């Protein structure tokens, strides 16, 4: 999973499972809008076509997607001081950026799941990729084909600069919100800090965990829809092929 995550940063993607649908902004009523589906390039522009200064609420049902685009969206949402409501699920980049951009953050009917951020990824990548050979073996596992040394150098430079810039942007964003990096480092771990040797795709924070790591104004409880498996503290569940941990 970590290798896939490292590859995903090349396109600023937080790679998550295959239940993705194309994202769409829609108007719910005169004061509310909704985002559903995968976050992709261009969604910031699409948001601006829908969003009004008089809007008060944003409903979310998204698996995440393009982290760079999600951060652009979050910076816009922050200035609107919206009541953000999760109605379904909000995972990965949706959780990191869209959910955290709310003045009030409410989990009304579903769950919010985290698995690290760009700072976590930067640390992990620096541990794994220390040389050009490390980069080549991970980025081009089937061989470099006809690529020249210059092409490889250029590819490595673009990768390094892109990842560094994303890391800095992430750090600044979460530092402004007062959310501790320790939380993202925890959720980036395969076992989400349980030290039980198991792999969990997402950490679903409890109210206590949200508060501990600096998430402000979070309302509601993590829950699956009725047709899914229920869960309780420190139990793990498999839903749609995903393993979660709630703590």
């Amino acid at each position: 999973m970590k290798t896939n995550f490292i590859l995903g940063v090349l396109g600023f993607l937080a790679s998550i499972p295959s239940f993705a649908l194309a994202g769409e902004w829609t108007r719910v009523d005169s004061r509310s809008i909704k985002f559903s589906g995968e976050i992709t390039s261009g969604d910031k522009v699409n948001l601006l076509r829908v969003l009004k200064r008089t809007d008060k609420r944003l409903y979310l049902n998204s698996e995440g997607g393009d982290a760079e685009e999600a951060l652009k969206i979050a910076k816009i949402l922050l200035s609107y001081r919206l009541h953000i409501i999760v109605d379904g699920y909000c995972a990965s980049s949706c959780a990191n950026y869209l959910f955290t951009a709310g003045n009030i953050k409410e989990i009304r009917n579903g769950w919010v799941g985290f698995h690290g951020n760009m700072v976590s990824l930067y640390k992990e990548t620096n541990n794994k990729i220390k040389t050009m050979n490390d980069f080549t073996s991970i980025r081009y596992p089937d061989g470099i084909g006809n690529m020249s040394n210059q092409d490889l150098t250029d590819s490595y430079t673009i990768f390094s600069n892109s990842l560094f810039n994303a890391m800095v942007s992430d750090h600044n964003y979460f530092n402004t919100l007062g959310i501790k990096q320790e939380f993202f480092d925890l959720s980036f771990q395969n076992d989400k800090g349980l030290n039980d040797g198991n792999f969990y795709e997402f950490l679903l924070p409890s109210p206590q965990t949200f508060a501990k790591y600096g998430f402000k104004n979070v309302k509601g409880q993590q829950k699956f829809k009725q047709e899914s498996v229920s869960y309780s503290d420190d139990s793990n569940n498999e839903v749609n092929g995903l393993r979660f941990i709630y703590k």
Side-chain angles (χ1 to χ4, degrees):
M1 187 267 186
K2 292 290 180 61
T3 299
N4 289 338
F5 207 175
I6 290 171
L7 294 176
V9 77
L10 296 170
F12 291 102
L13 296 176
S15 61
I16 69 164
S18 59
F19 51 88
L21 296 172
E24 182 181 17
W25 296 99
T26 55
R27 180 153 294 282
V28 177
D29 57 41
S30 63
R31 295 293 184 91
S32 308
I33 61 174
K34 182 174 183 177
F35 181 77
S36 302
E38 182 183 4
I39 302 165
T40 59
S41 179
D43 278 329
K44 184 195 83 166
V45 173
N46 293 333
L47 166 64
L48 293 174
R49 292 184 180 130
V50 176
L51 186 62
K52 298 178 181 178
R53 182 52 67 178
T54 54
D55 283 329
K56 300 296 184 183
R57 292 169 294 276
L58 168 60
Y59 293 85
L60 294 175
N61 186 29
S62 171
E63 62 277 0
D66 186 323
E68 182 183 33
E69 191 75 4
L71 181 53
K72 292 176 182 177
I73 292 168
K75 289 177 179 179
I76 293 171
L77 296 177
L78 280 174
S79 67
Y80 281 73
R81 296 180 59 81
L82 296 173
H83 180 175
I84 288 182
I85 301 166
V86 175
D87 184 18
Y89 51 80
C90 180
S92 192
S93 295
C94 175
N96 284 11
Y97 308 109
L98 276 60
F99 180 73
T100 59
N103 182 44
I104 298 174
K105 311 161 189 65
E106 180 180 354
I107 309 171
R108 181 170 295 181
N109 184 29
W111 54 269
V112 177
F114 297 83
H115 60 182
N117 67 355
M118 286 297 178
V119 180
S120 309
L121 179 58
Y122 183 81
K123 295 176 183 178
E124 175 74 11
T125 304
N126 277 349
N127 287 334
K128 288 181 176 292
I129 300 179
K130 298 182 181 299
T131 67
M132 178 70 77
N133 286 338
D134 294 337
F135 170 74
T136 302
S137 65
I138 291 177
R139 180 66 181 89
Y140 305 103
D142 298 324
I144 63 174
N146 295 323
M147 293 185 69
S148 66
N149 287 335
Q150 186 61 52
D151 288 337
L152 284 174
T153 299
D154 290 345
S155 181
Y156 179 65
T157 299
I158 291 170
F159 170 83
S160 299
N161 290 342
S162 297
L163 181 56
F164 178 79
N165 290 336
M167 181 273 293
V168 171
S169 295
D170 248 34
H171 169 79
N172 292 339
Y173 176 74
F174 294 114
N175 188 56
T176 297
L177 296 179
I179 299 174
K180 298 176 183 178
Q181 178 57 36
E182 182 185 358
F183 168 80
F184 294 102
D185 292 342
L186 180 72
S187 67
F188 189 68
Q189 297 175 30
N190 284 340
D191 64 7
K192 308 300 183 248
L194 293 183
N195 298 316
D196 61 1
N198 291 320
F199 171 79
Y200 305 98
E201 186 72 44
F202 294 112
L203 170 62
L204 279 57
S206 66
Q208 293 78 14
T209 298
F210 275 128
K212 177 180 178 180
Y213 291 103
F215 291 80
K216 299 179 178 66
N217 300 326
V218 179
K219 299 171 58 178
Q221 295 280 346
Q222 302 270 16
K223 53 183 176 292
F224 297 129
K225 292 186 178 180
Q226 190 168 357
E227 63 267 21
S228 300
V229 176
S230 61
Y231 63 98
S232 58
D233 287 8
D234 296 326
S235 66
N236 67 79
N237 308 275
E238 190 160 342
V239 180
N240 295 329
L242 307 180
R243 297 193 75 196
F244 301 86
I245 188 69
Y246 172 83
K247 63 177 290 187

Coordinates of all heavy atoms in Angstrom, one line a residue, residues 26-78:
T26 N -23.4 20.0 -6.7 CA -24.8 20.2 -7.0 C -25.4 21.1 -5.9 O -24.9 21.2 -4.8 CB -25.6 18.9 -7.0 OG1 -25.5 18.2 -5.8 CG2 -25.2 18.0 -8.2
R27 N -26.5 21.8 -6.2 CA -27.1 22.7 -5.3 C -28.3 21.9 -4.6 O -29.1 21.3 -5.3 CB -27.7 24.0 -5.9 CG -28.4 24.9 -5.0 CD -28.4 26.3 -5.4 NE -27.0 26.9 -5.3 CZ -26.4 27.2 -4.2 NH1 -27.0 27.2 -3.0 NH2 -25.2 27.7 -4.3
V28 N -28.3 21.9 -3.3 CA -29.3 21.3 -2.5 C -30.5 22.2 -2.3 O -31.7 21.8 -2.5 CB -28.8 20.8 -1.2 CG1 -29.9 20.1 -0.3 CG2 -27.6 19.8 -1.4
D29 N -30.2 23.4 -1.8 CA -31.3 24.4 -1.7 C -30.6 25.8 -1.7 O -29.4 25.9 -2.1 CB -32.0 24.2 -0.3 CG -31.1 24.2 0.9 OD1 -30.2 25.0 0.9 OD2 -31.3 23.4 1.8
S30 N -31.3 26.8 -1.4 CA -30.8 28.2 -1.6 C -29.6 28.5 -0.7 O -28.8 29.4 -1.0 CB -31.9 29.2 -1.3 OG -32.3 29.1 0.1
R31 N -29.3 27.7 0.4 CA -28.2 27.9 1.3 C -27.3 26.7 1.4 O -26.4 26.7 2.2 CB -28.7 28.3 2.7 CG -29.5 29.6 2.7 CD -28.6 30.8 2.5 NE -29.3 32.0 2.6 CZ -29.4 32.7 3.8 NH1 -28.8 32.2 4.9 NH2 -30.0 33.9 3.8
S32 N -27.5 25.7 0.5 CA -26.7 24.5 0.7 C -26.3 23.9 -0.7 O -27.0 23.9 -1.6 CB -27.5 23.4 1.4 OG -28.1 23.8 2.6
I33 N -25.0 23.4 -0.7 CA -24.5 22.7 -1.9 C -24.0 21.3 -1.4 O -23.8 21.0 -0.2 CB -23.4 23.4 -2.6 CG1 -22.2 23.7 -1.7 CG2 -24.0 24.8 -3.1 CD1 -21.0 24.3 -2.4
K34 N -23.7 20.4 -2.4 CA -23.2 19.1 -2.1 C -22.1 18.7 -3.1 O -22.2 19.1 -4.2 CB -24.4 18.1 -2.2 CG -23.9 16.6 -1.8 CD -25.1 15.7 -1.8 CE -24.7 14.3 -1.4 NZ -25.9 13.4 -1.3
F35 N -21.1 18.0 -2.5 CA -20.1 17.4 -3.4 C -20.1 15.9 -3.2 O -20.1 15.4 -2.1 CB -18.7 17.9 -3.1 CG -17.7 17.3 -4.0 CD1 -17.5 17.7 -5.3 CD2 -16.9 16.2 -3.6 CE1 -16.6 17.1 -6.2 CE2 -16.0 15.6 -4.4 CZ -15.8 16.1 -5.7
S36 N -20.2 15.2 -4.3 CA -20.3 13.7 -4.3 C -19.2 13.2 -5.3 O -19.1 13.7 -6.4 CB -21.6 13.2 -4.7 OG -22.6 13.7 -3.9
G37 N -18.6 12.1 -5.0 CA -17.7 11.4 -5.9 C -16.2 11.7 -5.7 O -15.8 12.2 -4.6
E38 N -15.4 11.4 -6.7 CA -14.0 11.6 -6.6 C -13.5 13.0 -6.9 O -14.1 13.7 -7.8 CB -13.3 10.7 -7.6 CG -11.8 10.7 -7.6 CD -11.1 9.8 -8.6 OE1 -11.9 9.2 -9.4 OE2 -9.9 9.7 -8.6
I39 N -12.6 13.5 -6.1 CA -12.0 14.8 -6.4 C -11.0 14.8 -7.5 O -10.0 14.0 -7.4 CB -11.3 15.4 -5.1 CG1 -12.3 15.4 -3.9 CG2 -10.7 16.8 -5.3 CD1 -11.7 15.6 -2.6
T40 N -11.2 15.5 -8.5 CA -10.3 15.5 -9.7 C -9.9 16.9 -10.1 O -10.5 17.9 -9.7 CB -10.9 14.7 -10.9 OG1 -12.1 15.4 -11.3 CG2 -11.2 13.3 -10.5
S41 N -8.9 17.0 -10.9 CA -8.5 18.3 -11.5 C -9.7 19.0 -12.1 O -10.4 18.5 -12.9 CB -7.4 18.2 -12.5 OG -7.0 19.4 -13.0
G42 N -9.9 20.3 -11.8 CA -11.0 21.1 -12.3 C -12.1 21.3 -11.3 O -13.0 22.1 -11.6
D43 N -12.1 20.5 -10.2 CA -13.2 20.6 -9.3 C -13.3 21.9 -8.5 O -14.3 22.4 -8.1 CB -13.2 19.4 -8.3 CG -13.8 18.2 -8.9 OD1 -14.7 18.3 -9.7 OD2 -13.4 17.1 -8.5
K44 N -12.1 22.6 -8.4 CA -12.1 23.9 -7.8 C -12.9 24.9 -8.7 O -13.7 25.7 -8.2 CB -10.7 24.4 -7.6 CG -10.7 25.8 -6.9 CD -9.3 26.4 -7.0 CE -9.2 27.2 -8.3 NZ -8.0 28.1 -8.4
V45 N -12.7 24.9 -10.0 CA -13.4 25.7 -10.9 C -14.9 25.4 -10.9 O -15.7 26.3 -10.9 CB -12.8 25.6 -12.3 CG1 -13.7 26.3 -13.3 CG2 -11.4 26.0 -12.4
N46 N -15.2 24.1 -10.9 CA -16.6 23.7 -10.8 C -17.3 24.2 -9.5 O -18.5 24.6 -9.5 CB -16.7 22.2 -11.0 CG -16.3 21.7 -12.3 OD1 -16.4 22.5 -13.3 ND2 -15.8 20.5 -12.4
L47 N -16.5 24.2 -8.4 CA -17.1 24.7 -7.2 C -17.5 26.2 -7.3 O -18.5 26.6 -6.9 CB -16.1 24.5 -6.0 CG -16.3 25.3 -4.7 CD1 -17.6 24.8 -4.1 CD2 -15.2 25.2 -3.8
L48 N -16.6 26.9 -7.9 CA -16.8 28.4 -8.0 C -18.0 28.7 -8.9 O -18.6 29.8 -8.7 CB -15.6 29.1 -8.5 CG -14.4 29.0 -7.6 CD1 -13.1 29.6 -8.3 CD2 -14.7 29.8 -6.3
R49 N -18.4 27.8 -9.7 CA -19.6 28.0 -10.5 C -20.9 27.8 -9.7 O -21.9 28.3 -10.1 CB -19.6 27.0 -11.7 CG -18.5 27.3 -12.8 CD -18.6 26.3 -13.9 NE -17.5 26.6 -14.9 CZ -16.8 25.6 -15.4 NH1 -16.9 24.4 -15.0 NH2 -15.9 26.0 -16.3
V50 N -20.8 27.1 -8.7 CA -22.0 26.7 -7.9 C -22.0 27.5 -6.6 O -23.1 27.9 -6.2 CB -21.9 25.2 -7.5 CG1 -23.1 24.8 -6.6 CG2 -22.0 24.4 -8.8
L51 N -20.9 27.8 -5.9 CA -20.9 28.3 -4.6 C -21.3 29.8 -4.6 O -20.9 30.6 -5.5 CB -19.4 28.2 -4.1 CG -19.2 28.7 -2.6 CD1 -20.0 27.8 -1.6 CD2 -17.7 28.6 -2.3
K52 N -22.2 30.1 -3.6 CA -22.6 31.5 -3.4 C -22.1 32.0 -2.0 O -22.0 31.2 -1.1 CB -24.1 31.6 -3.5 CG -24.7 31.2 -4.8 CD -26.3 31.3 -4.7 CE -26.9 30.9 -6.1 NZ -28.4 30.9 -6.0
R53 N -21.9 33.3 -1.9 CA -21.5 33.9 -0.7 C -22.5 33.7 0.4 O -22.1 33.6 1.6 CB -21.2 35.4 -0.8 CG -20.6 36.1 0.4 CD -19.5 35.4 1.0 NE -18.2 35.4 0.2 CZ -17.1 34.9 0.6 NH1 -17.0 34.3 1.8 NH2 -16.0 34.9 -0.1
T54 N -23.8 33.5 0.1 CA -24.8 33.3 1.1 C -24.9 31.8 1.5 O -25.8 31.5 2.4 CB -26.2 33.7 0.5 OG1 -26.4 33.1 -0.7 CG2 -26.2 35.2 0.3
D55 N -24.2 30.9 0.9 CA -24.3 29.5 1.3 C -23.8 29.3 2.8 O -22.9 29.9 3.2 CB -23.5 28.6 0.4 CG -24.1 28.4 -1.0 OD1 -25.4 28.4 -1.0 OD2 -23.5 28.3 -2.0
K56 N -24.5 28.3 3.4 CA -24.2 28.1 4.8 C -23.7 26.6 5.0 O -23.1 26.3 6.0 CB -25.4 28.3 5.7 CG -25.9 29.7 5.6 CD -24.9 30.7 6.2 CE -25.5 32.1 6.2 NZ -24.5 33.1 6.7
R57 N -24.1 25.7 4.1 CA -23.9 24.3 4.4 C -23.3 23.6 3.1 O -23.6 23.9 2.0 CB -25.2 23.5 4.7 CG -25.7 23.9 6.1 CD -27.1 23.4 6.3 NE -28.1 24.0 5.4 CZ -28.7 25.2 5.6 NH1 -28.4 25.8 6.7 NH2 -29.5 25.7 4.7
L58 N -22.4 22.6 3.4 CA -21.8 21.8 2.3 C -21.9 20.3 2.8 O -21.4 20.0 3.8 CB -20.3 22.1 2.1 CG -19.6 21.1 1.2 CD1 -20.2 21.0 -0.2 CD2 -18.1 21.5 1.1
Y59 N -22.6 19.5 2.0 CA -22.8 18.1 2.2 C -21.7 17.4 1.4 O -21.5 17.7 0.3 CB -24.2 17.6 1.8 CG -25.3 18.2 2.6 CD1 -25.9 19.4 2.3 CD2 -25.8 17.5 3.7 CE1 -26.9 19.9 3.1 CE2 -26.8 18.0 4.5 CZ -27.4 19.2 4.2 OH -28.4 19.7 5.0
L60 N -21.1 16.4 2.1 CA -20.0 15.6 1.4 C -20.3 14.1 1.4 O -20.8 13.5 2.4 CB -18.7 15.8 2.2 CG -18.1 17.2 2.2 CD1 -16.9 17.2 3.2 CD2 -17.7 17.6 0.8
N61 N -20.0 13.5 0.3 CA -20.1 12.1 0.1 C -19.0 11.7 -0.9 O -19.3 11.6 -2.1 CB -21.5 11.6 -0.3 CG -21.6 10.1 -0.4 OD1 -20.9 9.4 0.4 ND2 -22.4 9.6 -1.3
S62 N -17.8 11.6 -0.5 CA -16.6 11.5 -1.4 C -15.6 10.6 -0.9 O -15.2 10.6 0.3 CB -16.0 12.9 -1.6 OG -14.8 12.8 -2.3
E63 N -14.9 9.8 -1.8 CA -13.8 8.9 -1.4 C -12.5 9.6 -1.5 O -11.5 9.0 -1.2 CB -13.8 7.8 -2.4 CG -13.6 8.1 -3.8 CD -14.9 8.5 -4.6 OE1 -15.9 8.5 -4.0 OE2 -14.8 8.8 -5.8
G64 N -12.5 10.9 -1.8 CA -11.2 11.6 -1.9 C -10.7 11.7 -3.3 O -11.5 11.7 -4.2
G65 N -9.4 11.8 -3.5 CA -8.9 11.9 -4.8 C -7.6 12.7 -4.9 O -6.7 12.5 -4.1
D66 N -7.6 13.7 -5.8 CA -6.5 14.6 -6.0 C -6.2 15.5 -4.9 O -7.0 16.4 -4.6 CB -6.8 15.4 -7.3 CG -5.6 16.2 -7.8 OD1 -4.9 16.7 -7.0 OD2 -5.5 16.3 -9.0
A67 N -5.1 15.3 -4.2 CA -4.9 16.0 -2.9 C -4.6 17.5 -3.2 O -5.0 18.4 -2.5 CB -3.7 15.4 -2.2
E68 N -3.9 17.8 -4.3 CA -3.6 19.2 -4.7 C -4.8 19.9 -4.9 O -5.0 21.1 -4.5 CB -2.6 19.2 -5.9 CG -2.2 20.6 -6.3 CD -1.4 20.6 -7.6 OE1 -1.6 19.8 -8.4 OE2 -0.5 21.5 -7.7
E69 N -5.8 19.3 -5.7 CA -7.0 20.0 -6.0 C -7.9 20.2 -4.7 O -8.5 21.2 -4.5 CB -7.8 19.2 -7.1 CG -9.0 19.9 -7.6 CD -8.6 21.0 -8.6 OE1 -7.4 21.1 -8.9 OE2 -9.5 21.7 -9.1
A70 N -7.8 19.1 -3.9 CA -8.6 19.2 -2.7 C -8.1 20.3 -1.8 O -9.0 21.0 -1.1 CB -8.5 17.9 -1.9
L71 N -6.8 20.6 -1.7 CA -6.3 21.6 -0.9 C -6.7 23.0 -1.5 O -7.0 23.9 -0.7 CB -4.8 21.5 -0.8 CG -4.1 22.6 0.0 CD1 -4.6 22.7 1.4 CD2 -2.6 22.3 0.1
K72 N -6.7 23.1 -2.8 CA -7.2 24.4 -3.4 C -8.7 24.6 -3.0 O -9.0 25.8 -2.7 CB -7.1 24.3 -4.9 CG -5.7 24.3 -5.4 CD -5.7 24.1 -7.0 CE -4.3 24.0 -7.5 NZ -4.3 23.8 -9.0
I73 N -9.5 23.6 -3.0 CA -10.9 23.7 -2.7 C -11.0 24.1 -1.2 O -11.8 25.0 -0.8 CB -11.6 22.4 -2.9 CG1 -11.7 22.1 -4.4 CG2 -13.0 22.4 -2.3 CD1 -12.2 20.7 -4.8
A74 N -10.2 23.5 -0.3 CA -10.3 23.8 1.1 C -10.0 25.2 1.4 O -10.6 25.8 2.3 CB -9.3 22.9 1.8
K75 N -9.0 25.8 0.7 CA -8.7 27.2 1.0 C -9.8 28.1 0.6 O -10.0 29.2 1.3 CB -7.4 27.5 0.2 CG -6.1 26.9 0.7 CD -4.9 27.2 -0.1 CE -3.7 26.5 0.5 NZ -2.5 26.8 -0.4
I76 N -10.6 27.8 -0.4 CA -11.8 28.6 -0.7 C -12.8 28.4 0.4 O -13.4 29.4 0.8 CB -12.3 28.1 -2.1 CG1 -11.3 28.5 -3.2 CG2 -13.7 28.8 -2.4 CD1 -11.7 28.0 -4.6
L77 N -13.1 27.1 0.7 CA -14.1 26.8 1.7 C -13.9 27.5 3.1 O -14.8 27.9 3.7 CB -14.3 25.3 1.9 CG -14.7 24.5 0.7 CD1 -14.7 23.0 1.0 CD2 -16.1 25.0 0.2
L78 N -12.6 27.6 3.5 CA -12.3 28.2 4.8 C -12.9 29.6 4.9 O -13.4 30.0 6.0 CB -10.8 28.2 5.0 CG -10.1 27.0 5.4 CD1 -8.6 27.2 5.4 CD2 -10.6 26.5 6.8

